[in-house]
Amino acid sequence: MAAVALLAARPAPAPGGPARKAGPLPAAGWRVRPHSLRSVPPPGVAGRGGARAARPTRAAMGGCDLFALDFDGVFCDSCGESSLSAVKAAKVRWPWVFERVDAAMEEWIVERMHTLRPVIETGYENLLLVRLLVEIQIPSVRKSSVADGLSIQEILENWSKLLPTLMDEWQEDRESLVDLFGRVRDDWLENDLSGWIGANRFYPGTADALKLSNSELYIVTTKQSRFAGALLKELAGVDFPSERIYGLGTGPKVKVLQRLQEMPQHQGLTLHFIEDRLATLKNVIKEPALDKWNLYLVKWGYNTQKEREEAGAISRIQLIDLPDFSKQLK
């Protein structure tokens, strides 16, 4: 469809109460440029030409660095997949809202989602953004008090305030949206693996940096772990240990970092945390117990020029570009 053609052609952007049952998931309606993939081997069985196992860590070899690494916006540009999955999930959640949404409007929504991606902390928020964009365009389906006249820039600047307002006015709950977003992604992955994988991409050089690193590496992400693991294996070609992926449900990132630094095997290591969200790094700075962490904001992820400039004025945070990232992981 037009939205997917847009994704394939556009350049990379600069820089989830009890779950209620939803209706049946729609058949995959998007077609993404084919991606060369092996079939997924059974658990514990290496496929022919399969993903490369992680190299021995520097700690095991007498090294001294530990890296906690965000996933989306650091390794993986998942905005195409998350935006398309959000449209699918939003259609299931609020079918009456999407009765008048045609292909052209879906294309407009996906385009705006690329611009709005920096405000997303957890995947389910994509669904709320998708519905908000529809309410901005179609007054007859409007149920929120904030949509009338709301601009994209105002969303970027005020999302932390808009989010709880929308959740309240639409009578939504976080866990229900998280569950739906995960099920839609699972359905897409199961029925169209190459299409799901192909809607993602790794930033240039990051997969190689991961493969070649001898440091102690952990993924610390708000993405559900199974999706991060699938992308690492099928797109980056790395069998990254699942026990080293701290995904959605493992606790706030500040708590994960504290757990990592307290592990006996990590004592004496130099600690590094690499993120693309300035707000997350600010939360780390607020915790005195995390003062030992060296903090980095990537220049290529889901953040804005204004945020990068703000980070540059904070002595605790180092800005890092792609070439330096590869050197840092050693």
Side-chain angles (χ1 to χ4, degrees):
M1 73 189 296
V4 174
L6 172 69
L7 285 173
R10 63 172 285 116
R20 93 188 152 194
K21 294 186 178 294
L25 298 177
W30 288 272
R31 287 295 177 264
V32 184
R33 184 171 48 201
H35 187 278
S36 178
L37 283 177
R38 305 162 301 282
S39 60
V40 180
V45 178
R48 182 179 179 182
R52 174 177 177 170
R55 291 165 60 92
T57 62
R58 286 184 58 146
M61 302 169 64
C64 58
D65 292 289
L66 180 151
F67 287 87
L69 303 148
D70 185 30
F71 186 74
D72 291 318
V74 172
F75 286 107
C76 186
D77 177 9
S78 62
C79 192
E81 179 273 323
S82 63
S83 298
L84 292 172
S85 291
V87 172
K88 291 184 178 186
K91 286 182 174 181
V92 174
R93 191 67 167 184
W94 309 294
W96 64 92
V97 174
F98 285 82
E99 289 176 351
R100 294 177 55 190
V101 175
D102 57 15
M105 185 173 291
E106 286 189 15
E107 179 178 320
W108 179 87
I109 290 169
V110 171
E111 176 72 19
R112 297 309 178 274
M113 291 293 286
H114 280 275
T115 304
L116 293 169
R117 182 57 181 83
V119 305
I120 298 295
E121 180 176 9
T122 307
Y124 79 96
E125 297 174 38
N126 285 284
L127 278 74
L128 300 171
L129 277 174
V130 165
R131 177 171 174 178
L132 179 59
L133 289 171
V134 174
E135 291 202 3
I136 290 172
Q137 293 294 97
I138 307 178
S140 63
V141 302
R142 194 172 291 162
K143 298 294 183 181
S144 67
S145 62
V146 300
D148 187 19
L150 189 66
S151 71
I152 299 300
Q153 186 61 36
E154 287 170 332
I155 298 174
L156 283 170
E157 295 175 354
N158 300 289
W159 182 243
S160 62
K161 298 176 182 178
L162 293 170
L163 175 59
T165 299
L166 296 174
M167 292 287 284
D168 179 62
E169 293 184 344
W170 293 339
Q171 298 183 323
E172 289 295 341
D173 64 273
R174 181 182 188 276
E175 293 308 313
S176 183
L177 295 176
V178 169
D179 176 71
L180 174 60
F181 197 45
R183 288 192 295 111
V184 167
R185 282 174 145 171
D186 281 332
D187 181 74
W188 188 2
L189 190 153
E190 180 179 353
N191 292 292
D192 181 19
L193 176 62
S194 63
W196 184 83
I197 293 290
N200 298 269
R201 73 179 184 98
F202 270 62
Y203 294 103
T206 57
D208 286 339
L210 187 63
K211 293 174 185 177
L212 298 174
S213 176
N214 289 320
S215 298
E216 286 282 297
L217 304 181
Y218 291 84
I219 301 295
V220 182
T221 177
T222 55
K223 197 183 197 77
Q224 289 166 308
S225 298
R226 64 187 184 274
F227 300 123
L231 288 167
L232 284 163
K233 184 172 184 177
E234 296 298 332
L235 200 53
V238 177
D239 272 321
F240 199 86
S242 60
E243 67 272 13
R244 288 176 176 260
I245 303 177
Y246 288 80
L248 184 66
T250 58
K253 291 187 178 183
V254 291
K255 297 300 183 183
V256 173
L257 295 182
Q258 189 163 356
R259 287 157 62 186
L260 289 175
Q261 75 177 23
E262 291 174 352
M263 292 179 180
Q265 66 269 34
H266 297 157
Q267 301 311 300
L269 299 184
T270 302
L271 307 175
H272 309 271
F273 179 42
I274 301 183
E275 252 285 351
D276 74 309
R277 294 194 75 247
L278 178 58
T280 302
L281 295 178
K282 286 182 173 180
N283 287 337
V284 175
I285 293 173
K286 294 176 184 177
E287 296 290 336
L290 301 177
D291 284 347
K292 294 180 180 180
W293 287 88
N294 295 292
L295 305 180
Y296 308 84
L297 183 74
V298 303
K299 294 180 179 180
W300 63 88
Y302 303 132
N303 50 56
T304 64
Q305 180 62 33
K306 181 180 179 181
E307 289 171 326
R308 292 191 288 276
E309 292 173 356
E310 182 180 351
I314 301 174
S315 61
R316 183 83 184 276
I317 299 175
Q318 301 177 53
L319 289 168
I320 185 171
D321 58 22
L322 274 169
D324 287 339
F325 175 77
S326 298
K327 294 175 184 177
Q328 277 280 6
L329 289 195
K330 303 178 186 68

